[in-house]
Amino acid sequence: MDFLRGVWNSIFKLYLLKCSDARRVTYLRKLGMKIGERCRIRTMKFSTEPYLIEIGDHVAIAAGTEFITHDGANWVFEDDVDGGGVFGKIVIGNNVFIGINSIILSNTSIGDNCIVGAGSVVRGKFPENSVLAGNPAQIVSKTGIQRMLTKQSPDLLKTKNCTVAQKDRMVKDHFGIK
């Protein structure tokens, strides 16, 4: 029965990945996650204790990102700690972007206005207005510097209100692709 429940949960999570952000957020809130407004969540990898995760307003979480709220390594010491577990909260501030395939570990706090680079492994407390990257993640810049670099990039294309087809045409034209 546990096997079938696991299969069903896996299929349901795949289904949710095809649904809207609003549908994913509704489901995750039912699991006990605190999630603010205007969030884009493109992953369903929220550990076995999703109720230990808090996400602020206007947060974008890219596909493949994992949130891990417990330390499984204590399995090695299982007999010494009477089968106990080590758990920790994850708190994500407002206006945060988390890049594709990042891992956010327990006991992590990411401040407001932060950017987490793709593939980063994040653990610890990070102040607002920071750009984090690496394994282990470190502060590599301030978001103000990243904003300036983005505004000055020759590859910045204004695609905000474009349809997918309009965006694709603009990108292809920009890079000379027929």
Side-chain angles (χ1 to χ4, degrees), residues 71-84 86:
D71 186 347
N74 67 337
W75 180 81
V76 173
F77 315 112
E78 186 174 45
D79 294 338
D80 296 336
V81 295
D82 294 326
V86 177

